[in-house]
Amino acid sequence: MLPIKQGQAAIAFVCVILGIMLAVQFRTTQDIRSSVPFQRIEDLSQRLSQTEKERDVLQKQLHELREKPGLETASREMEIVKMGAGVTPVQGPGLSVIIDDSKRQSKPGENPNLYLIHDDDILKVINELWAAGAEAISINEQRLIASSEIRCAGPTLSVNNTRYSPPYEIKVIGDVKTLENALKMRGGVIETLQFWGIQVAIKKQESLVIPAYKGTFRFELAKPVKDGGQ
Amino acid sequence: MVLPVTGLIIGLIIGSLFPISIPVQYAQFMSVALLAALDSVFGGLRAGAEEKFDNTIFITGFFTNALLAASLVYVGERLGIDLYYVALLAFGLRIFQNLAIIRRYFLKK
């Protein structure tokens, strides 16, 4: 039926080898598909070891806390709560960011407001800093706490009910690199501000002191919820 | 034609029965060698159809082609040249050519 007369045996022999190769190649390709990429494995194992380390540290902490209940832990807790509330001055590495109005003259017909700093500019910077893991922030010696306001009061800025005029100095404690990168991000806050000629100077500092909140706390309406009360 | 096909089926069965597997980094060489082998087989079929078949040429051609293709790809990888695609293209073209000639012979009969 077919015109092939010569070499049937040789071709058949070669076809056996070809068949073996085909089967092996088929299996290998399936192996590649089903196996997890090498890099992913490395990535996951690294994350696992990091998480394990974190867990060990936390376990140790838990152990310590269980070991010595009483004054020492209570006072340490107290200190952390105070730092969080902003009633103790803190120090550490961080940035000082000085923001000043634009020196550029507004062209006739243009809104001169665009070249001035507003509360929302400052708020954006502060927001970016908190997002970048800032631990404490102050504006012109006013510690920012949970109830701090930042708002325009005429040509000045009111922070903690104290008024300031530009330049504003924002001091922040946190991871210097992260904070700086967060601010200088392409298309980020600083770039937007500089587009309007607003002057921003970022200084890295090994150690800076952020003062405590000097006001008082008043709670007239809010009352703590008793245990179990929902 | 029955003999080659049965040979191929026997090979496939042997290959799937034995748990041989190629390491992932050599899979590329294997695929080029496979293509070279395929090319040789079609070349052999064509020569058989043309009645110009030579046993030694066919067998040596089969092994040297496969080995040469794999080593060429290996050298290319070392030098940073993608000879893999060159081998693919060359063998692919030849396979199609051989197939076309074989088909013509089939039709003539």
Side-chain angles (χ1 to χ4, degrees):
Chain A
M1 66 173 196
L2 298 170
I4 298 164
K5 289 163 193 127
Q6 299 170 312
Q8 290 255 3
I11 294 177
F13 166 67
V14 164
C15 274
V16 172
I17 298 176
L18 186 67
I20 296 175
M21 283 168 88
L22 270 174
V24 170
Q25 180 71 10
F26 181 70
R27 186 174 312 120
T28 311
T29 320
Q30 279 205 324
D31 281 357
I32 294 173
R33 285 227 185 98
S34 60
S35 68
V36 185
F38 184 67
Q39 189 148 17
R40 177 94 180 123
I41 295 175
E42 220 170 49
D43 205 35
L44 285 177
S45 63
Q46 203 177 358
R47 214 184 293 172
L48 178 68
S49 74
Q50 200 183 333
T51 315
E52 273 174 349
K53 244 183 244 164
E54 255 171 55
R55 181 203 62 190
D56 289 347
V57 170
L58 286 175
Q59 260 175 357
K60 215 170 123 197
Q61 241 177 43
L62 182 71
H63 191 69
E64 273 173 19
L65 286 175
R66 283 216 180 117
E67 283 284 282
K68 35 181 177 180
L71 267 180
E72 201 174 323
T73 44
S75 71
R76 206 195 310 165
E77 197 112 305
M78 184 80 170
E79 193 138 299
I80 289 172
V81 170
K82 273 181 167 173
M83 269 161 70
V87 290
T88 46
V90 287
Q91 67 158 1
L95 297 179
S96 101
V97 184
I98 297 169
I99 303 180
D100 202 351
D101 280 337
S102 178
K103 285 225 170 70
R104 211 186 287 169
Q105 288 291 320
S106 61
K107 299 180 192 97
E110 239 178 350
N111 187 355
N113 258 329
L114 292 173
Y115 297 96
L116 297 177
I117 309 166
H118 293 278
D119 46 356
D120 49 349
D121 299 328
I122 301 285
L123 274 169
K124 269 183 203 153
V125 173
I126 298 292
N127 200 31
E128 201 63 50
L129 289 173
W130 286 130
E135 289 173 9
I137 299 181
S138 70
I139 298 180
N140 287 10
E141 304 303 312
Q142 282 298 329
R143 174 75 169 267
L144 287 191
I145 60 163
S147 55
S148 293
E149 90 287 5
I150 299 170
R151 81 184 285 276
C152 272
T156 60
L157 195 75
S158 155
V159 180
N160 286 351
N161 281 324
T162 318
R163 288 177 179 195
Y164 293 102
S165 56
Y168 306 111
E169 186 186 16
I170 300 173
K171 286 201 274 186
V172 50
I173 290 179
D175 183 58
V176 176
K177 220 166 189 179
T178 318
L179 293 173
E180 200 185 6
N181 287 343
L183 290 180
K184 286 183 173 170
M185 199 186 340
R186 192 165 275 267
V189 195
I190 299 296
E191 212 178 87
T192 317
L193 290 181
Q194 278 170 344
F195 176 76
W196 296 109
I198 287 169
Q199 302 166 54
V200 182
I202 299 178
K203 255 192 293 176
K204 286 183 248 184
Q205 300 207 327
E206 299 253 312
S207 168
L208 46 80
V209 178
I210 291 188
Y213 173 64
K214 294 183 193 79
T216 50
F217 295 97
R218 275 186 312 158
F219 293 102
E220 282 173 9
L221 299 171
K223 287 183 178 62
V225 177
K226 291 283 179 285
D227 270 346
Q230 291 220 325
Chain B
M1 198 61 190
V2 185
L3 220 54
V5 172
T6 42
L8 186 65
I9 291 169
I10 290 171
L12 279 174
I13 292 169
I14 293 175
S16 47
L17 283 184
F18 287 90
I20 322 160
S21 187
I22 303 276
V24 174
Q25 60 263 45
Y26 299 126
Q28 212 180 28
F29 307 141
M30 185 66 182
S31 60
V32 174
L34 184 70
L35 207 63
L38 209 61
D39 170 55
S40 295
V41 169
F42 280 120
L45 285 174
R46 173 193 163 186
E50 283 176 337
E51 305 196 354
K52 285 193 294 191
F53 191 83
D54 186 324
N55 227 342
T56 29
I57 290 181
F58 176 64
I59 298 286
T60 52
F62 174 77
F63 287 109
T64 45
N65 262 3
L67 287 177
L68 201 70
S71 54
L72 198 71
V73 171
Y74 175 76
V75 170
E77 195 179 272
R78 278 292 132 103
L79 294 179
I81 311 166
D82 263 339
L83 290 178
Y84 175 70
Y85 298 107
V86 177
L88 278 191
L89 203 69
F91 285 124
L93 275 179
R94 270 181 51 179
I95 286 174
F96 278 113
Q97 255 167 18
N98 284 337
L99 265 178
I101 292 169
I102 291 169
R103 192 194 52 199
R104 253 164 243 170
Y105 273 97
F106 271 57
L107 290 176
K108 252 189 223 165
K109 264 280 149 166

PDB file of all heavy atoms in Angstrom, chain A residues 82-104:
ATOM      1  N   LYS A  82       1.700  56.242  77.258  1.00  0.00           N
ATOM      2  CA  LYS A  82       1.989  57.682  77.315  1.00  0.00           C
ATOM      3  C   LYS A  82       2.641  58.162  76.027  1.00  0.00           C
ATOM      4  O   LYS A  82       2.327  59.241  75.522  1.00  0.00           O
ATOM      5  CB  LYS A  82       2.934  57.974  78.486  1.00  0.00           C
ATOM      6  CG  LYS A  82       2.226  58.201  79.808  1.00  0.00           C
ATOM      7  CD  LYS A  82       3.280  58.506  80.829  1.00  0.00           C
ATOM      8  CE  LYS A  82       2.699  59.062  82.104  1.00  0.00           C
ATOM      9  NZ  LYS A  82       3.759  59.187  83.113  1.00  0.00           N
ATOM     10  N   MET A  83       3.583  57.351  75.531  1.00  0.00           N
ATOM     11  CA  MET A  83       4.240  57.737  74.282  1.00  0.00           C
ATOM     12  C   MET A  83       3.237  57.796  73.149  1.00  0.00           C
ATOM     13  O   MET A  83       3.259  58.693  72.312  1.00  0.00           O
ATOM     14  CB  MET A  83       5.361  56.738  73.948  1.00  0.00           C
ATOM     15  CG  MET A  83       6.698  57.144  74.512  1.00  0.00           C
ATOM     16  SD  MET A  83       7.829  55.749  74.577  1.00  0.00           S
ATOM     17  CE  MET A  83       8.138  55.509  72.861  1.00  0.00           C
ATOM     18  N   GLY A  84       2.333  56.814  73.149  1.00  0.00           N
ATOM     19  CA  GLY A  84       1.315  56.794  72.111  1.00  0.00           C
ATOM     20  C   GLY A  84       0.397  57.991  72.199  1.00  0.00           C
ATOM     21  O   GLY A  84      -0.019  58.550  71.179  1.00  0.00           O
ATOM     22  N   ALA A  85       0.096  58.406  73.423  1.00  0.00           N
ATOM     23  CA  ALA A  85      -0.798  59.542  73.599  1.00  0.00           C
ATOM     24  C   ALA A  85      -0.091  60.854  73.356  1.00  0.00           C
ATOM     25  O   ALA A  85      -0.722  61.886  73.141  1.00  0.00           O
ATOM     26  CB  ALA A  85      -1.377  59.509  75.013  1.00  0.00           C
ATOM     27  N   GLY A  86       1.255  60.820  73.378  1.00  0.00           N
ATOM     28  CA  GLY A  86       2.006  62.038  73.106  1.00  0.00           C
ATOM     29  C   GLY A  86       2.213  62.928  74.322  1.00  0.00           C
ATOM     30  O   GLY A  86       2.422  64.127  74.168  1.00  0.00           O
ATOM     31  N   VAL A  87       2.143  62.375  75.505  1.00  0.00           N
ATOM     32  CA  VAL A  87       2.327  63.228  76.685  1.00  0.00           C
ATOM     33  C   VAL A  87       3.744  63.137  77.241  1.00  0.00           C
ATOM     34  O   VAL A  87       4.038  63.780  78.245  1.00  0.00           O
ATOM     35  CB  VAL A  87       1.302  62.886  77.787  1.00  0.00           C
ATOM     36  CG1 VAL A  87      -0.087  63.312  77.363  1.00  0.00           C
ATOM     37  CG2 VAL A  87       1.328  61.413  78.119  1.00  0.00           C
ATOM     38  N   THR A  88       4.608  62.358  76.618  1.00  0.00           N
ATOM     39  CA  THR A  88       6.018  62.394  77.007  1.00  0.00           C
ATOM     40  C   THR A  88       6.835  62.787  75.789  1.00  0.00           C
ATOM     41  O   THR A  88       6.521  62.377  74.677  1.00  0.00           O
ATOM     42  CB  THR A  88       6.521  61.019  77.497  1.00  0.00           C
ATOM     43  OG1 THR A  88       6.063  60.037  76.563  1.00  0.00           O
ATOM     44  CG2 THR A  88       6.051  60.691  78.875  1.00  0.00           C
ATOM     45  N   PRO A  89       7.874  63.605  76.012  1.00  0.00           N
ATOM     46  CA  PRO A  89       8.751  63.912  74.881  1.00  0.00           C
ATOM     47  C   PRO A  89       9.491  62.643  74.452  1.00  0.00           C
ATOM     48  O   PRO A  89       9.826  61.814  75.305  1.00  0.00           O
ATOM     49  CB  PRO A  89       9.710  64.967  75.434  1.00  0.00           C
ATOM     50  CG  PRO A  89       9.544  64.965  76.898  1.00  0.00           C
ATOM     51  CD  PRO A  89       8.274  64.277  77.239  1.00  0.00           C
ATOM     52  N   VAL A  90       9.701  62.517  73.165  1.00  0.00           N
ATOM     53  CA  VAL A  90      10.418  61.340  72.678  1.00  0.00           C
ATOM     54  C   VAL A  90      11.576  61.801  71.801  1.00  0.00           C
ATOM     55  O   VAL A  90      11.581  62.908  71.287  1.00  0.00           O
ATOM     56  CB  VAL A  90       9.495  60.416  71.861  1.00  0.00           C
ATOM     57  CG1 VAL A  90       8.521  59.689  72.746  1.00  0.00           C
ATOM     58  CG2 VAL A  90       8.774  61.178  70.778  1.00  0.00           C
ATOM     59  N   GLN A  91      12.570  60.920  71.697  1.00  0.00           N
ATOM     60  CA  GLN A  91      13.678  61.230  70.793  1.00  0.00           C
ATOM     61  C   GLN A  91      14.056  59.989  70.015  1.00  0.00           C
ATOM     62  O   GLN A  91      13.788  58.865  70.447  1.00  0.00           O
ATOM     63  CB  GLN A  91      14.876  61.769  71.568  1.00  0.00           C
ATOM     64  CG  GLN A  91      15.519  60.750  72.482  1.00  0.00           C
ATOM     65  CD  GLN A  91      16.954  61.135  72.796  1.00  0.00           C
ATOM     66  OE1 GLN A  91      17.445  62.160  72.348  1.00  0.00           O
ATOM     67  NE2 GLN A  91      17.602  60.295  73.580  1.00  0.00           N
ATOM     68  N   GLY A  92      14.666  60.256  68.856  1.00  0.00           N
ATOM     69  CA  GLY A  92      15.061  59.145  68.004  1.00  0.00           C
ATOM     70  C   GLY A  92      15.470  59.668  66.638  1.00  0.00           C
ATOM     71  O   GLY A  92      15.434  60.877  66.397  1.00  0.00           O
ATOM     72  N   PRO A  93      15.874  58.778  65.758  1.00  0.00           N
ATOM     73  CA  PRO A  93      16.261  59.210  64.413  1.00  0.00           C
ATOM     74  C   PRO A  93      15.031  59.593  63.602  1.00  0.00           C
ATOM     75  O   PRO A  93      13.946  59.081  63.834  1.00  0.00           O
ATOM     76  CB  PRO A  93      16.913  57.958  63.823  1.00  0.00           C
ATOM     77  CG  PRO A  93      16.265  56.828  64.544  1.00  0.00           C
ATOM     78  CD  PRO A  93      15.969  57.319  65.923  1.00  0.00           C
ATOM     79  N   GLY A  94      15.204  60.501  62.687  1.00  0.00           N
ATOM     80  CA  GLY A  94      14.054  60.905  61.888  1.00  0.00           C
ATOM     81  C   GLY A  94      14.399  62.002  60.907  1.00  0.00           C
ATOM     82  O   GLY A  94      15.555  62.213  60.576  1.00  0.00           O
ATOM     83  N   LEU A  95      13.370  62.705  60.494  1.00  0.00           N
ATOM     84  CA  LEU A  95      13.544  63.760  59.499  1.00  0.00           C
ATOM     85  C   LEU A  95      13.021  65.068  60.057  1.00  0.00           C
ATOM     86  O   LEU A  95      12.143  65.084  60.918  1.00  0.00           O
ATOM     87  CB  LEU A  95      12.723  63.465  58.235  1.00  0.00           C
ATOM     88  CG  LEU A  95      13.017  62.234  57.406  1.00  0.00           C
ATOM     89  CD1 LEU A  95      12.048  62.192  56.240  1.00  0.00           C
ATOM     90  CD2 LEU A  95      14.426  62.274  56.872  1.00  0.00           C
ATOM     91  N   SER A  96      13.613  66.159  59.555  1.00  0.00           N
ATOM     92  CA  SER A  96      12.951  67.427  59.782  1.00  0.00           C
ATOM     93  C   SER A  96      12.641  68.010  58.415  1.00  0.00           C
ATOM     94  O   SER A  96      13.498  68.075  57.544  1.00  0.00           O
ATOM     95  CB  SER A  96      13.826  68.347  60.626  1.00  0.00           C
ATOM     96  OG  SER A  96      14.472  69.280  59.833  1.00  0.00           O
ATOM     97  N   VAL A  97      11.377  68.340  58.220  1.00  0.00           N
ATOM     98  CA  VAL A  97      10.918  68.821  56.921  1.00  0.00           C
ATOM     99  C   VAL A  97      10.476  70.258  57.100  1.00  0.00           C
ATOM    100  O   VAL A  97       9.596  70.542  57.911  1.00  0.00           O
ATOM    101  CB  VAL A  97       9.730  67.966  56.422  1.00  0.00           C
ATOM    102  CG1 VAL A  97       9.315  68.411  55.031  1.00  0.00           C
ATOM    103  CG2 VAL A  97      10.075  66.500  56.428  1.00  0.00           C
ATOM    104  N   ILE A  98      11.137  71.156  56.367  1.00  0.00           N
ATOM    105  CA  ILE A  98      10.764  72.572  56.469  1.00  0.00           C
ATOM    106  C   ILE A  98      10.046  72.973  55.189  1.00  0.00           C
ATOM    107  O   ILE A  98      10.552  72.784  54.089  1.00  0.00           O
ATOM    108  CB  ILE A  98      12.009  73.444  56.700  1.00  0.00           C
ATOM    109  CG1 ILE A  98      12.633  73.064  58.043  1.00  0.00           C
ATOM    110  CG2 ILE A  98      11.627  74.912  56.702  1.00  0.00           C
ATOM    111  CD1 ILE A  98      13.980  73.654  58.280  1.00  0.00           C
ATOM    112  N   ILE A  99       8.834  73.484  55.362  1.00  0.00           N
ATOM    113  CA  ILE A  99       8.005  73.842  54.206  1.00  0.00           C
ATOM    114  C   ILE A  99       7.732  75.337  54.257  1.00  0.00           C
ATOM    115  O   ILE A  99       7.310  75.866  55.291  1.00  0.00           O
ATOM    116  CB  ILE A  99       6.677  73.055  54.233  1.00  0.00           C
ATOM    117  CG1 ILE A  99       6.967  71.552  54.263  1.00  0.00           C
ATOM    118  CG2 ILE A  99       5.833  73.393  53.026  1.00  0.00           C
ATOM    119  CD1 ILE A  99       5.726  70.707  54.300  1.00  0.00           C
ATOM    120  N   ASP A 100       8.009  76.004  53.151  1.00  0.00           N
ATOM    121  CA  ASP A 100       7.805  77.446  53.108  1.00  0.00           C
ATOM    122  C   ASP A 100       7.018  77.814  51.853  1.00  0.00           C
ATOM    123  O   ASP A 100       7.004  77.076  50.882  1.00  0.00           O
ATOM    124  CB  ASP A 100       9.166  78.163  53.111  1.00  0.00           C
ATOM    125  CG  ASP A 100       9.024  79.596  53.614  1.00  0.00           C
ATOM    126  OD1 ASP A 100       7.871  80.050  53.777  1.00  0.00           O
ATOM    127  OD2 ASP A 100      10.055  80.240  53.845  1.00  0.00           O
ATOM    128  N   ASP A 101       6.402  79.019  51.922  1.00  0.00           N
ATOM    129  CA  ASP A 101       5.622  79.474  50.768  1.00  0.00           C
ATOM    130  C   ASP A 101       6.506  79.631  49.538  1.00  0.00           C
ATOM    131  O   ASP A 101       7.723  79.750  49.636  1.00  0.00           O
ATOM    132  CB  ASP A 101       4.984  80.840  51.080  1.00  0.00           C
ATOM    133  CG  ASP A 101       3.744  80.667  51.931  1.00  0.00           C
ATOM    134  OD1 ASP A 101       3.173  79.565  51.895  1.00  0.00           O
ATOM    135  OD2 ASP A 101       3.375  81.625  52.624  1.00  0.00           O
ATOM    136  N   SER A 102       5.858  79.658  48.395  1.00  0.00           N
ATOM    137  CA  SER A 102       6.595  79.810  47.147  1.00  0.00           C
ATOM    138  C   SER A 102       7.161  81.220  47.043  1.00  0.00           C
ATOM    139  O   SER A 102       6.510  82.197  47.427  1.00  0.00           O
ATOM    140  CB  SER A 102       5.669  79.531  45.975  1.00  0.00           C
ATOM    141  OG  SER A 102       6.336  79.726  44.778  1.00  0.00           O
ATOM    142  N   LYS A 103       8.380  81.322  46.506  1.00  0.00           N
ATOM    143  CA  LYS A 103       8.960  82.650  46.272  1.00  0.00           C
ATOM    144  C   LYS A 103       8.549  83.173  44.898  1.00  0.00           C
ATOM    145  O   LYS A 103       8.761  84.321  44.573  1.00  0.00           O
ATOM    146  CB  LYS A 103      10.485  82.550  46.345  1.00  0.00           C
ATOM    147  CG  LYS A 103      11.001  82.411  47.772  1.00  0.00           C
ATOM    148  CD  LYS A 103      12.196  83.346  48.003  1.00  0.00           C
ATOM    149  CE  LYS A 103      12.589  83.407  49.469  1.00  0.00           C
ATOM    150  NZ  LYS A 103      13.194  82.147  49.919  1.00  0.00           N
ATOM    151  N   ARG A 104       7.986  82.304  44.104  1.00  0.00           N
ATOM    152  CA  ARG A 104       7.611  82.665  42.741  1.00  0.00           C
ATOM    153  C   ARG A 104       6.500  83.708  42.783  1.00  0.00           C
ATOM    154  O   ARG A 104       5.572  83.615  43.585  1.00  0.00           O
ATOM    155  CB  ARG A 104       7.129  81.413  42.019  1.00  0.00           C
ATOM    156  CG  ARG A 104       7.413  81.429  40.547  1.00  0.00           C
ATOM    157  CD  ARG A 104       6.777  80.224  39.902  1.00  0.00           C
ATOM    158  NE  ARG A 104       7.493  78.989  40.208  1.00  0.00           N
ATOM    159  CZ  ARG A 104       6.999  77.783  39.920  1.00  0.00           C
ATOM    160  NH1 ARG A 104       5.794  77.671  39.386  1.00  0.00           N
ATOM    161  NH2 ARG A 104       7.678  76.689  40.189  1.00  0.00           N
TER     162      ARG A 104
END
